[in-house]
């Protein structure tokens, strides 16, 4: 896996913690995932002007289609795997979120299949999904066209700052009504 150049944690809140759980084999090594996620999260905080209390934490769970299908069924009543799910951990205290931002869960087979179908690097697609997931923890959504346009615009800007091509360039804007 070729990760984007590490941006460091300069754009993250002070003492920001990234808790990584690898629950299945097949994912890149934890150090590579941590570098990719730190870069993606830092870019999201910088480009979307996200704000969280110092000492905030996000939990990233790297699992498989079977586990995410179960979560998707139990929490969203959709009995199918998906690429990423976000579970917010706190409401903002004024303008700031944290300290527990929430959990973001990724499904290996779906992420790999989508990267293959789009003919992009796995790391670029995973970076996009990390960005997508953290935006959900900050109340961005895509339930209607207006929300989808705002969220996708932020994703495009964040990914462009990392040198990653627009993931929506060949797809029409699509709200997720469920």
């Amino acid at each position: 896996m070729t990760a984007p150049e590490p941006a460091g944690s300069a754009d993250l809140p002070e003492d920001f913690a990234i808790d990584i759980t690898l629950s299945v084999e097949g994912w890149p090594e934890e150090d590579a995932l941590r570098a990719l996620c730190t870069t993606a999260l830092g870019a999201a905080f910088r480009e979307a002007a996200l704000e969280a209390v110092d000492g905030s934490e996000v939990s990233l769970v790297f699992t498989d289609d079977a586990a995410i299908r179960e979560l998707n069924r139990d929490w969203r009543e959709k009995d199918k795997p998906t690429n990423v799910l976000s579970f917010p951990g706190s409401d903002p205290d004024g303008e700031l979120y944290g300290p527990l931002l929430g959990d973001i869960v990724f499904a290996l087979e779906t992420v790999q299949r989508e990267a293959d179908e789009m003919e992009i690097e796995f790391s670029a697609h995973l970076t996009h999904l990390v960005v997508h997931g953290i935006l959900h923890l900050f109340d961005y959504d895509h339930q209607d066209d207006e929300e989808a346009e705002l969220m996708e615009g932020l994703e495009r800007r964040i990914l462009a700052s990392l040198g990653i091509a627009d993931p929506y360039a060949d797809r029409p804007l699509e709200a997720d009504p469920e």
Side-chain angles (χ1 to χ4, degrees):
M1 177 176 97
T2 306
E5 286 297 314
S9 58
D11 297 306
L12 297 171
E14 189 173 325
D15 298 324
F16 189 80
I18 301 170
D19 180 37
I20 292 180
T21 301
L22 288 161
S23 68
V24 297
E25 293 183 17
W27 286 98
E29 296 293 321
E30 185 175 340
D31 289 345
L33 285 172
R34 185 171 302 283
L36 180 147
C37 294
T38 300
T39 299
L41 293 169
F45 270 82
R46 179 182 66 249
E47 296 296 324
L50 303 178
E51 294 186 30
V53 299
D54 290 342
S56 289
E57 177 180 347
V58 65
S59 172
L60 306 176
V61 179
F62 296 90
T63 192
D64 60 14
D65 276 6
I68 211 163
R69 178 181 182 169
E70 192 173 314
L71 288 170
N72 206 19
R73 182 192 66 225
D74 293 350
W75 290 94
R76 298 179 65 223
E77 298 179 2
K78 293 184 178 186
D79 192 12
K80 62 182 182 179
T82 189
N83 50 19
V84 61
L85 290 173
S86 296
F87 298 95
S90 65
D91 289 324
D93 181 16
E95 292 293 313
L96 297 179
Y97 285 75
L100 301 175
L101 297 178
D103 305 310
I104 307 172
V105 185
F106 307 90
L108 179 62
E109 298 93 337
T110 298
V111 174
Q112 184 63 63
R113 184 183 69 255
E114 290 173 347
D116 292 346
E117 289 170 358
M118 292 185 283
E119 298 179 344
I120 61 174
E121 287 188 34
F122 178 86
S123 61
H125 189 44
L126 183 57
T127 298
H128 175 209
L129 296 175
V130 171
V131 167
H132 186 86
I134 195 69
L135 289 176
H136 273 310
L137 297 185
F138 280 83
D139 289 331
Y140 287 94
D141 219 329
H142 43 88
Q143 297 299 312
D144 61 41
D145 287 344
E146 188 175 316
E147 288 178 344
E149 190 173 326
L150 175 63
M151 187 170 177
E152 290 176 11
L154 281 173
E155 290 174 22
R156 286 182 179 105
R157 189 169 80 226
I158 294 163
L159 294 172
S161 79
L162 297 171
I164 295 175
D166 179 354
Y168 301 108
D170 297 326
R171 292 184 5 215
L173 180 68
E174 202 172 294
D176 180 9
E178 296 180 30

